[in-house]
Amino acid sequence: FSTSDLDIQRTFALYPGTNEDLILSTGANGNLSSTPPADVKYVAAGNQWTVDLNSPADTFTGSPMLVLARSLQPGESIQPLFNTTDVYLHPNQDTRILQSNTLSAGGDQVHFNLPPTAVGMTVIFQGASFGAQAINGTYASTDVHILHITL
């Protein structure tokens, strides 16, 4: 028995949010997950992709929210924005895939099919909600989820 026999799973997000009651779950064909190492997924084109934003304890239910996405260019790194350690997507530069005046009780979802033309793409997702109830008094952000689209 040696340490090379152990399969150690990562328990921390690669790109963490503010670590509050705001959870981004993603997955293919209805199989959603949110916690590391499930923040990075490899999904074949042709599957249905779902993004879900939820506040399980209702801290952010009724608050403004959005979910953003960005397709990464080959070799592009993911960097935090605005001198923070928890915001990786820009609300004016990245694509808003889910936006509502307020976060619904039980969360909000968006579904879309991954086309064959998307093979080889990497897309990142992050959710946010805004309000004084956030720890920083302004916003809460989710961990970033990374989707690698495969054959």
Side-chain angles (χ1 to χ4, degrees):
F1 178 77
S2 71
T3 56
S4 63
D5 295 324
L6 299 175
D7 182 20
I8 299 173
Q9 293 288 320
R10 176 174 54 84
T11 59
F12 56 89
L14 291 176
Y15 304 99
T18 56
N19 196 28
E20 297 180 57
D21 178 41
L22 190 66
I23 306 297
L24 186 70
S25 299
T26 57
N29 304 321
N31 297 313
L32 303 180
S33 57
S34 59
T35 57
D39 53 347
V40 178
K41 297 180 173 83
Y42 293 82
V43 178
N47 286 289
Q48 184 183 63
W49 182 249
T50 299
V51 177
D52 178 271
L53 185 65
N54 192 8
S55 180
D58 291 326
T59 304
F60 295 97
T61 297
S63 297
M65 65 78 145
L66 57 82
V67 177
L68 299 169
R70 178 177 3 126
S71 176
L72 297 180
Q73 299 301 316
E76 181 181 354
S77 63
I78 302 170
Q79 300 295 324
L81 301 175
F82 311 118
N83 296 316
T84 70
T85 58
D86 50 37
V87 176
Y88 298 88
L89 289 133
H90 194 288
N92 295 323
Q93 297 173 358
D94 294 309
T95 303
R96 294 175 188 225
I97 61 166
L98 182 62
Q99 181 176 4
S100 173
N101 290 333
T102 60
L103 182 63
S104 301
D108 293 288
Q109 289 188 347
V110 63
H111 311 273
F112 49 93
N113 292 321
L114 300 175
T117 55
V119 169
M121 290 179 65
T122 297
V123 182
I124 62 173
F125 302 86
Q126 187 173 32
S129 185
F130 306 92
Q133 70 275 38
I135 291 171
N136 63 24
T138 306
Y139 71 90
S141 63
T142 68
D143 297 344
V144 169
H145 283 227
I146 303 169
L147 166 63
H148 299 282
I149 304 170
T150 64
L151 284 174

